[in-house]
């Protein structure tokens, strides 16, 4: 069966998540394997031996962790996963291997080493609060023979795969013979997509990966950049953007997706002509600042403890790219996966079904005006700036997503007001909209930059603006404030009109005409 063509997808939907499962790309994973334990108990007294609580453990739950958790996330998203890694010939190693096989992961590349201790991290919890974590790391490093066997397994598992994902948690097991073998193999044996998720990316620059996913701390260590989460969001973003050249050079990668935890992500792409290969359909051109290709925004979560959100992120990103999704859409998919698991307790997995539910967000984000006014009052009370934009957004294209990303960057909360079907027809003519209001709202709701969606049926957004009183009203560069009927209403409410960059050569009407055969 032929795989679905996802190369033209712009924006997420439940159908995209299902299509990824249908595509079922083969992904080879090599990395540091961990067994995560979650021990739940109760405590009502202190021990007499020391000032410490006595925990009566009631349940013990074990799940794959580290690169094993990434492998399980890949399988849950529909990938056919081959795994290479080291475990000990001990109870934890056997338990971990069995768990992986139960998730459909091919463990033929997992090397069992006599005398090696399988890494295990056991959390002791009381009332869903981690009281202590007990790490069993082992004292002896893996013997050279085991590392050589792992290098052989890693190259074998990657042969014929659609993508290779390296998950290096800094144990030292991967940056010797394994890295040497991956670098030395013939080009024909290298998968079309190589992704590296490593605590220290410097050694992996030799591999010339296609994509890497450092977090803020890893970027800071790599290029000496202060981007801690205590800094304001705009400062963190600006510093990463200014350091794009250095980050790309230090990683040796074509694409760097920097994860900024609660501030979302930034995607840096190597420009054509600066020593690398362009990133396909998403390749920037021209100005140096075009290196920052995409931003996502994390959904706010109220969790007290979450583990493995980074594993879910890189798994979804890899599946998306391996299946042919555009880079920016794949990053949005990865952000959605992270948003799902960060709201859960413990080491979590994001599945296709989870994404389908999450991406079918019309009911969550498509609000009536009265409810939206109440939500925005709460946002302002929390000190957030409200940005409003409006339009038909009929057939979503790159011009739309670029515009919406720019609008989001103006403030904290982005509201998109959609012309309803009748007003779209009056504006665009018979046969429009192509997609009805519910479908348009559903696609927009799946974009991480969009916080709320509403609709209006009037020919202008003036009545809606008077109700919402946005701090900022954003329109595209083909307008001026003087051209807009909405300007007076924005100013009356104490707001300001902002004109965004004009994105040429992207028109819904042009796309529709080409589809209908009206243009060559």
């Amino acid at each position: 069966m032929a795989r679905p063509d996802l190369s033209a997808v712009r924006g997420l939907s439940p159908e995209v998540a299902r299509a990824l499962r249908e595509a079922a790309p083969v992904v080879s994973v090599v990395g540091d394997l961990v067994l995560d334990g979650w021990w739940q108990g109760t405590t009502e007294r202190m021990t007499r031996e020391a000032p410490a609580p006595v925990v009566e453990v009631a349940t013990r739950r074990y799940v794959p962790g580290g690169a094993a958790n990434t492998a399980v996330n890949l399988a849950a998203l529909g990938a056919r996963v081959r795994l290479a890694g080291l475990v000990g010939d001990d109870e934890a190693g056997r338990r971990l291997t069995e768990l992986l096989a139960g998730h459909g992961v091919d463990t033929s590349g997992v090397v069992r080493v006599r005398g090696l201790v399988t890494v295990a991290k056991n959390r002791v919890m009381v009332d869903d609060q981690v009281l202590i974590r007990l790490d069993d790391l082992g004292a002896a490093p893996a013997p050279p023979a085991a590392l050589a066997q792992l290098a052989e397994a890693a190259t074998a598992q990657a042969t014929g795969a659609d993508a290779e994902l390296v998950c290096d948690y800094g144990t030292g097991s991967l940056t010797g013979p394994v890295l040497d073998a991956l670098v030395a193999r013939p080009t024909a044996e290298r998968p079309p997509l190589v992704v590296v998720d490593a605590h220290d990316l410097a050694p992996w620059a030799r591999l010339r990966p296609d994509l890497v996913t450092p977090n803020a701390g890893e970027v800071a260590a790599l290029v000496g950049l202060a981007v801690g989460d205590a800094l304001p969001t705009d400062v963190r973003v600006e510093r990463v953007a200014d350091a794009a050249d250095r980050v790309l050079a230090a990683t040796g990668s074509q694409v760097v997706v920097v994860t900024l935890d609660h501030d979302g992500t930034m995607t840096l792409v190597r420009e054509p002509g600066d020593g690398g290969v362009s990133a396909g359909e998403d390749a920037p051109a021209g100005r140096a600042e075009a290196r920052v290709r995409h931003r996502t925004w994390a959904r706010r979560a109220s969790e007290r403890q979450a583990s493995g959100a980074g594993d879910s992120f890189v798994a979804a990103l890899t599946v998306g790219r391996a299946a042919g999704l555009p880079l920016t859409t794949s990053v949005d998919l990865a952000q959605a996966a992270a948003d799902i698991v960060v709201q859960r307790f413990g080491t979590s997995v994001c599945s296709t079904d989870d994404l389908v539910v999450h991406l079918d967000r019309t009911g969550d984000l498509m609000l009536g005006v009265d409810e939206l006014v109440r939500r925005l009052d709460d946002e302002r009370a929390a000190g957030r700036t409200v940005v409003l934009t409006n339009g038909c957004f009929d057939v979503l294209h790159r011009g739309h997503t670029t515009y919406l990303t720019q609008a989001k960057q103006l403030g904290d909360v982005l509201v998109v007001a959609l012309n309803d079907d009748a007003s779209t027809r009056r504006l665009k003519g018979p046969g429009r909209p192509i997609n009805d209001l519910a479908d348009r709202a559903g696609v927009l709701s799946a974009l991480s930059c969009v916080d709320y969606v509403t609709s209006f049926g009037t020919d202008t957004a003036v009545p809606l603006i008077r109700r919402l009183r946005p701090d900022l009203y954003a329109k595209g560069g083909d307008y001026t404030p003087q051209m807009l009927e909405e300007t007076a209403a924005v100013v009356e409410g104490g707001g300001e009109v902002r004109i965004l960059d004009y994105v040429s050569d992207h028109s819904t009407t042009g796309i529709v005409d080409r589809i209908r055969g009206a243009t060559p």
Side-chain angles (χ1 to χ4, degrees):
M1 180 183 296
R3 288 184 179 176
D5 182 5
L6 304 178
S7 60
V9 172
R10 294 294 191 275
L12 298 177
S13 68
E15 289 70 28
V16 170
R18 295 188 184 101
L20 290 174
R21 180 164 56 190
E22 182 182 342
V26 176
V27 180
S28 170
V29 179
V30 55
D32 296 318
L33 308 184
V34 179
L35 178 67
D36 277 353
W38 297 87
W39 300 358
Q40 183 70 52
T42 58
T43 181
E44 296 180 353
R45 59 192 176 90
M46 303 291 286
T47 179
R48 288 179 293 179
E49 293 91 343
V54 175
V55 178
E56 297 182 8
V57 177
T59 60
R60 290 177 173 85
R61 182 172 69 94
Y62 295 95
V63 294
N69 183 46
T70 304
V72 169
N73 271 272
L74 285 162
L77 293 170
R80 291 169 286 168
V81 185
R82 306 168 181 171
L83 179 63
L86 299 178
V87 297
D89 189 15
D90 52 14
E91 181 181 352
R94 288 187 288 274
R95 188 191 299 272
L96 178 56
T97 305
E98 290 171 1
L99 287 169
L100 287 163
H103 285 279
V105 175
D106 176 358
T107 60
S108 60
V110 175
V111 180
R112 185 171 294 173
V113 183
R114 185 180 299 276
L116 186 71
V117 175
T118 302
V119 176
K121 299 180 180 180
N122 297 309
R123 288 91 167 167
V124 180
M125 301 179 298
V126 175
D127 295 329
D128 289 335
Q129 176 65 51
V130 175
L131 190 65
I132 190 172
R133 195 179 86 178
L134 309 174
D135 288 2
D136 194 354
L137 304 179
L147 295 178
Q149 193 174 351
L150 175 59
E152 183 179 351
T155 54
Q157 294 288 64
T159 301
D162 298 297
E164 176 180 70
L165 174 54
V166 177
C167 300
D168 181 6
Y169 289 80
T171 66
S173 297
L174 301 179
T175 51
V178 173
L179 174 56
D180 291 342
L182 297 182
V183 171
R185 65 189 164 187
T187 302
E189 296 179 10
R190 176 184 169 118
L193 174 69
V194 175
V195 181
V196 176
D197 181 29
H199 285 350
D200 181 6
L201 284 166
W204 294 98
R206 291 173 53 210
L207 186 59
R208 305 299 292 177
D210 300 292
L211 193 158
V212 297
T213 58
N215 61 30
E218 290 157 358
V219 168
L222 190 67
V223 297
L225 191 66
V227 286
D229 59 7
L231 292 170
T233 298
D234 56 347
V235 173
R236 302 179 84 196
V237 169
E238 182 178 0
R239 288 183 179 178
V240 171
D242 289 345
D245 281 328
R246 294 157 55 201
V247 174
L248 285 162
T251 62
S253 181
Q254 305 303 304
V255 179
V256 178
V257 180
V258 182
T259 57
L260 299 172
D261 40 80
H262 57 270
D263 287 330
T265 71
M266 295 181 66
T267 302
L268 314 177
V269 177
R270 188 184 299 277
E271 290 184 26
D274 69 351
V277 180
S278 71
E281 73 293 324
D282 291 295
R287 303 170 302 173
E289 61 265 27
R291 290 177 176 278
V292 182
R293 290 296 301 137
H294 192 55
R295 272 290 312 276
T296 69
W297 285 262
R299 303 284 185 195
R300 288 184 294 275
S302 58
E303 85 291 344
R304 289 192 298 170
Q305 167 70 35
S307 298
D311 300 333
S312 299
F313 181 94
V314 72
L317 179 59
T318 302
V319 167
R321 290 301 279 158
L325 275 182
L327 174 60
T328 53
T329 309
S330 297
V331 176
D332 284 339
L333 178 80
Q335 183 66 66
D339 288 341
I340 290 169
V341 300
V342 80
Q343 298 182 59
R344 297 173 175 170
F345 193 91
T347 307
S348 299
V349 173
C350 176
S351 68
T352 298
D353 291 341
D354 292 329
L355 280 172
V356 167
V357 172
H358 181 80
L359 296 175
D360 189 13
R361 297 183 59 86
T362 303
D364 293 337
L365 298 188
M366 178 71 171
L367 300 177
V369 176
D370 291 341
E371 175 61 21
L372 181 56
V373 168
R374 286 191 289 271
R375 298 277 189 99
L376 296 184
D377 284 344
D378 291 339
E379 300 282 8
R380 290 191 184 93
R384 301 185 183 104
T385 301
V386 175
V387 182
L388 172 68
T389 192
N390 65 277
C392 300
F393 297 99
D394 190 2
V395 178
L396 201 69
H397 52 68
R398 180 175 162 188
H400 287 143
T401 56
T402 300
Y403 166 76
L404 291 171
T405 297
Q406 291 177 358
K408 172 71 173 187
Q409 291 172 335
L410 296 175
D412 303 306
V413 177
L414 177 60
V415 180
V416 179
L418 285 171
N419 290 83
D420 67 12
D421 293 344
S423 65
T424 299
R425 196 169 298 112
R426 292 196 300 271
L427 287 170
K428 302 296 184 180
R432 300 287 297 276
I434 301 298
N435 297 302
D436 64 21
L437 178 61
D439 286 342
R440 289 182 283 138
V443 172
L444 285 172
S445 296
L447 298 178
S448 67
C449 60
V450 176
D451 295 287
Y452 299 107
V453 179
T454 192
S455 65
F456 64 101
T458 51
D459 290 340
T460 73
V462 169
L464 181 65
I465 288 170
R466 287 176 173 152
R467 289 292 311 278
L468 300 184
R469 298 177 295 105
D471 300 296
L472 298 166
Y473 178 65
K475 290 298 287 185
D478 44 350
Y479 293 93
T480 66
Q482 294 74 25
M483 294 169 58
L484 297 172
E485 295 183 48
E486 292 86 354
T487 297
V490 173
V491 175
E492 288 171 9
E496 180 183 348
V497 176
R498 293 285 184 88
I499 302 301
L500 303 178
D501 293 342
Y502 177 67
V503 181
S504 62
D505 299 328
H506 290 90
S507 161
T508 297
T509 300
I511 292 172
V512 172
D513 286 345
R514 288 196 297 274
I515 292 172
R516 290 173 172 169
T519 60

